[in-house]
Amino acid sequence: MCGICGIYNFQRDKAIDQYLLKQMCDVLAHRGPDDEGFYAYDKIGLGHRRLSIIDLAKGKQPLHNEDKNVWVVFNGEIYNYLELREMLLKKGHVFSTDSDTEAILHLYEEEGEGFVNFLRGMFAIGLWDEKEKKLILARDRLGKKPLHYLIENGRLLFGSEIKSILQDKEVKREINYEATNDFLTFLCIPAPKTIFKGIFKLPPGHILVCTPDKFFVREYWDFNFSNSQGLIQKEEYYINNLIPLLRDSVNCRLMSEVPLGAFLSGGIDSSCVVAIMAQLCQEQVITSSIGFEEDAFNELNFAQIIATLFKTSHYEDIVRPDSMEILPKLIYHFDEPFADSSAIPTYYVSQAAKKKVTVALSGDGGDEFFAGYTSYYDDISEDRVRKMIPTFVKRSFRPLLNQYPDFLPAKRYLNSICSSFEQAFMLSRSTGMPEIKQEMYSQEFISKITGYDSFSVLEPYLKRSEGWDALSRAQYVDAKTYLPDDILVKVDRMSMAVSLEVRSPFLDHKLIEFVSNIPSSLRLHNGILKYILKRSMEGILPQEILKRKKKGFSVPISMWFKKELKTMMEEILFSPRASQRGYFNPYYVRRMWEDHQKGIKDFSSQFWCLLMLELWERAFIEREELIFN
């Protein structure tokens, strides 16, 4: 795993600033502590920080072809590089290393911009073609590896993290208020936006091409559930074919010249990965888990069941309220506001794993593709009711809804069944109801986002999935937004903070293309989440794991806000500095805080958002060094 960055003065008549390139690279040292490398010539500069995993001796980057007219920097792993290497050798290409990076170079020589279609793995790539004066940026299909860019005044800057681009003093730190609204809606900032005006994320499954004469971004891969509407094959067909595909996906991710292990939460997904690893590995699997003192959030007993069953070398740690000392690290490594509080245990499980291994496998993606979220129950059941109720009845409900408080669950439900699927889906994926946000925002902030609706983030994917069943639509939109913009960002930044590489077998595109054809009635069957995955793992995983209720990787923030973190929160959120920023109505926010303290309503998600936004402002706009004791 690595960090990459670069500069291309495609319409500037001067050579690149090599000192700036070095600064951009240095700030990514945590992503690649083992080595660094540069290529700088005239108007192009590429930088690389390396975490050595494969070909430790000769895998240094930037790497070039035989003629030194194609150069590449690469962050990730290409799991089919040996197959690609064999194919390219037969076509006459000459290799000078055993690294997966070199396969990318020769594949580009053979296939041009289409090279990315042949890659199996996770990647962010910067490739320079000297003959055509062309820079290509590419991001893997699901968005496991990040890539950001800025195009301004005839030049392009790119980096694995935003902080790399911010090293250039010409880059203004202007806030994108539409992105801020997205953050307060989804807890994260969805691609292609970032919190900074002018800086963008390259979306998953896309490439960017830049020459002196043209610039474009295009999608090269997508998946769909459109073929999963009916029962095309018998249940046994999917069961019999799923495990070999999952085993192959795990097996290719065991490729490493450094110690390798796995995260183990005790949930079905991580348990599947560990079980298959135990079958494939000759040595004892190393597993790491995180728990809480609060029983309702603690899963260590389930993790211990799997660790004992598969005889893993198991390590555990406990996350406590005093763990908030890592807040400055969270703010620093995410670069922009990010309010999924499970980033805290993700950091600590990465830290625990790093003590024993350099690479860890995870269960990320299992929920999105096998239908593991409890929200999918609601999506399906509400859609059934919505279709049964006549339109005139829904209209009659509307005036009644305004008579009830926003915090009543019944109001959200009635709102949902009286709305279209698209409107209801947006409501279900939002941090708070629109009425709460309108009250919480200041008039000044509302004026800055007039005419903008964060629904536009989900709208393209809802349009693509028109005509699909409710479950397939919900899974597709989650996989295109929540997965890459929240889950995978969280895992990448927190693992890279401790220089740990994380690999996700459930996010293998070959596996996804198979799973997306499984009928929705077998993904969620008779109320059983992940039905087909659970059936496939019968006889491998114990029933107490297969039949346990879904429990997310959540944090007892709500309780901590009422006890251990109460004073800290009040000092930060109700400080003059926070009030003067002009985002929020301080009187309404204070009332929300009082309601939360009294247990009238749980506003923990909203307050974690406010905290992250305030601390981000202090660190990235005011450039204050954050310190928490």
Side-chain angles (χ1 to χ4, degrees):
M1 202 56 55
C2 310
I4 63 173
C5 61
I7 308 169
Y8 180 23
N9 289 343
F10 62 96
Q11 288 179 347
R12 279 192 177 189
D13 191 22
K14 63 178 181 179
I16 62 107
D17 183 342
Q18 295 189 36
Y19 177 70
L20 170 60
L21 181 63
K22 178 71 164 63
Q23 288 180 305
M24 292 173 68
C25 207
D26 286 348
V27 79
L28 299 174
H30 56 281
R31 299 187 73 93
D34 297 332
D35 199 2
E36 69 175 3
F38 302 94
Y39 169 68
Y41 177 72
D42 193 20
K43 297 183 180 184
I44 185 71
L46 304 175
H48 184 263
R49 292 292 316 198
R50 186 184 186 202
L51 177 64
S52 302
I53 305 291
I54 296 172
D55 194 3
L56 305 186
K58 295 185 291 183
K60 188 179 177 68
Q61 298 183 40
L63 204 60
H64 58 79
N65 64 348
E66 302 98 312
D67 300 327
K68 294 188 178 182
N69 55 25
V70 180
W71 291 76
V72 69
V73 284
F74 159 60
N75 169 26
E77 302 289 349
I78 305 302
Y79 302 121
N80 64 332
Y81 83 97
L82 291 176
E83 301 164 34
L84 294 173
R85 180 188 178 93
E86 184 178 350
M87 175 192 76
L88 292 163
L89 284 170
K90 289 178 180 178
K91 293 189 175 186
H93 292 269
V94 178
F95 283 73
S96 60
T97 75
D98 296 320
S99 70
D100 53 348
T101 309
E102 192 171 6
I104 296 171
L105 278 171
H106 297 298
L107 194 59
Y108 172 74
E109 290 180 302
E110 197 68 33
E111 301 292 340
E113 292 170 15
F115 78 98
V116 71
N117 296 299
F118 292 81
L119 302 178
R120 180 185 185 185
M122 54 181 181
F123 50 85
I125 297 169
L127 186 146
W128 170 248
D129 185 328
E130 176 64 32
K131 286 182 179 179
E132 297 191 25
K133 305 298 180 187
K134 177 164 64 176
L135 176 68
I136 298 175
L137 303 181
R139 192 174 177 203
D140 66 65
R141 295 169 178 82
L142 278 304
K144 286 165 278 188
K145 293 294 100 187
L147 196 52
H148 307 83
Y149 68 93
L150 172 143
I151 294 182
E152 186 178 76
N153 300 326
R155 63 179 182 153
L156 185 152
L157 277 67
F158 71 90
S160 293
E161 297 181 8
I162 297 172
K163 63 174 64 68
S164 182
I165 296 171
L166 293 178
Q167 297 308 299
D168 188 342
K169 292 182 174 59
E170 287 187 43
V171 177
K172 297 178 181 178
R173 301 191 181 202
E174 292 186 57
I175 295 174
N176 182 333
Y177 291 107
E178 292 182 359
T180 306
N181 186 56
D182 290 344
F183 164 68
L184 293 162
T185 303
F186 301 115
L187 309 182
C188 60
I189 298 176
K193 295 191 204 77
T194 74
I195 193 65
F196 296 100
K197 284 184 180 179
I199 301 178
F200 298 93
K201 303 178 180 91
L202 183 64
H206 283 67
I207 68 166
L208 176 157
V209 176
C210 182
T211 72
D213 304 316
K214 65 181 179 181
F215 165 82
F216 64 85
V217 175
R218 69 169 175 85
E219 187 174 44
Y220 68 85
W221 182 86
D222 195 12
F223 72 96
N224 66 73
F225 287 105
S226 62
N227 295 323
S228 67
Q229 308 296 301
L231 193 62
I232 302 169
Q233 300 281 354
K234 291 183 178 180
E235 188 173 312
E236 288 70 25
Y237 168 83
Y238 300 104
I239 294 171
N240 294 337
N241 284 276
L242 177 57
I243 293 302
L245 279 169
L246 187 54
R247 183 176 286 112
D248 176 59
S249 182
V250 171
N251 188 47
C252 70
R253 283 162 178 78
L254 299 179
M255 172 183 68
S256 177
E257 295 178 23
V258 294
L260 180 146
F263 293 160
L264 179 58
S265 69
I268 291 170
D269 301 330
S270 65
S271 297
C272 284
V273 171
V274 170
I276 294 172
M277 286 178 71
Q279 294 174 350
L280 296 172
C281 295
Q282 294 181 347
E283 298 179 354
Q284 189 178 30
V285 177
I286 300 171
T287 54
S288 303
S289 301
I290 288 295
F292 298 91
E293 293 176 329
E294 294 82 359
D295 290 340
F297 294 83
N298 194 31
E299 296 184 280
L300 288 179
N301 57 322
F302 293 106
Q304 189 61 57
I305 289 170
I306 296 299
T308 301
L309 178 63
F310 295 103
K311 299 180 175 60
T312 74
S313 178
H314 188 59
Y315 299 89
E316 297 179 349
D317 201 356
I318 297 290
V319 178
R320 298 178 176 84
D322 57 12
S323 301
M324 291 303 101
E325 64 191 21
I326 70 158
L327 280 178
K329 289 183 180 179
L330 297 188
I331 300 300
Y332 176 79
H333 286 288
F334 282 111
D335 288 343
E336 54 185 350
F338 184 85
D340 183 340
S341 58
S342 64
I344 298 167
T346 302
Y347 173 82
Y348 281 108
V349 76
S350 298
Q351 186 182 63
K354 179 62 179 179
K355 293 175 183 176
K356 301 294 177 181
V357 300
T358 307
V359 178
L361 272 61
S362 78
D364 297 310
D367 285 321
E368 287 78 11
F369 290 100
F370 287 96
Y373 293 125
T374 54
S375 60
Y376 295 142
Y377 288 132
D378 299 331
D379 296 325
I380 293 173
S381 61
E382 289 173 7
D383 196 57
R384 287 193 189 120
V385 174
R386 185 180 298 117
K387 290 175 179 176
M388 290 169 56
I389 299 177
T391 303
F392 75 91
V393 175
K394 294 176 187 176
R395 288 201 194 103
S396 67
F397 280 163
R398 284 285 176 200
L400 296 174
L401 291 174
N402 296 328
Q403 300 177 22
Y404 294 95
D406 295 332
F407 60 78
L408 286 180
K411 181 169 184 176
R412 179 178 281 272
Y413 178 77
L414 288 173
N415 256 326
S416 178
I417 62 174
C418 291
S419 305
S420 66
F421 174 87
E422 291 81 2
Q423 292 169 327
F425 186 85
M426 175 66 184
L427 185 65
S428 70
R429 269 44 174 191
S430 300
T431 306
M433 295 182 76
E435 295 89 342
I436 293 176
K437 288 175 63 178
Q438 286 299 309
E439 293 284 348
M440 188 173 72
Y441 289 171
S442 69
Q443 288 303 310
E444 179 185 352
F445 185 64
I446 290 173
S447 69
K448 290 177 178 176
I449 57 171
T450 299
Y452 177 72
D453 187 346
S454 288
F455 177 74
S456 62
V457 171
L458 308 181
E459 191 173 21
Y461 308 111
L462 286 165
K463 282 186 176 179
R464 286 189 192 184
S465 61
E466 284 179 352
W468 302 2
D469 63 89
L471 176 62
S472 294
R473 296 191 79 185
Q475 285 185 256
Y476 178 74
V477 181
D478 281 346
K480 300 296 284 189
T481 55
Y482 176 61
L483 176 66
D485 297 322
D486 184 316
I487 300 296
L488 298 181
V489 169
K490 172 186 67 180
V491 173
D492 175 80
R493 302 307 191 277
M494 294 297 89
S495 60
M496 284 289 94
V498 297
S499 304
L500 176 78
E501 175 176 307
V502 176
R503 300 174 179 176
S504 308
F506 283 108
L507 295 179
D508 188 283
H509 77 276
K510 290 187 175 182
L511 179 66
I512 288 168
E513 288 168 354
F514 173 80
V515 173
S516 62
N517 284 305
I518 297 175
S520 57
S521 61
L522 292 181
R523 283 179 267 126
L524 199 166
H525 181 67
N526 290 337
I528 301 175
L529 295 167
K530 295 183 182 171
Y531 174 78
I532 204 71
L533 179 62
K534 291 176 180 177
R535 280 294 319 276
S536 300
M537 295 303 292
E538 287 178 355
I540 300 175
L541 294 180
Q543 288 298 308
E544 53 198 317
I545 298 296
L546 292 173
K547 292 186 176 181
R548 60 168 298 204
K549 289 185 178 180
K550 168 71 177 175
K551 182 183 287 188
F553 201 28
S554 54
V555 182
I557 289 290
S558 180
M559 289 184 279
W560 291 354
F561 281 168
K562 295 176 184 178
K563 296 178 182 179
E564 295 90 346
L565 302 184
K566 182 179 178 182
T567 301
M568 181 200 78
M569 287 291 291
E570 290 178 341
E571 289 176 351
I572 294 173
L573 291 185
F574 302 115
S575 66
R577 293 171 67 184
S579 300
Q580 290 167 7
R581 299 200 192 282
Y583 292 128
F584 307 109
N585 176 346
Y587 302 104
Y588 189 78
V589 172
R590 173 66 76 172
R591 195 172 85 194
M592 288 170 60
W593 181 252
E594 291 171 355
D595 286 348
H596 182 87
Q597 295 301 315
K598 294 174 184 176
I600 295 173
K601 173 69 176 175
D602 183 356
F603 285 118
S604 54
S605 292
Q606 286 86 351
F607 281 114
W608 191 251
C609 271
L610 300 187
L611 177 65
M612 293 297 103
L613 182 59
E614 174 59 23
L615 294 180
W616 175 82
E617 285 263 7
R618 295 183 183 189
F620 279 86
I621 301 301
E622 297 173 356
R623 307 192 195 193
E624 173 187 323
E625 183 180 357
L626 301 178
I627 299 174
F628 289 86
N629 296 321

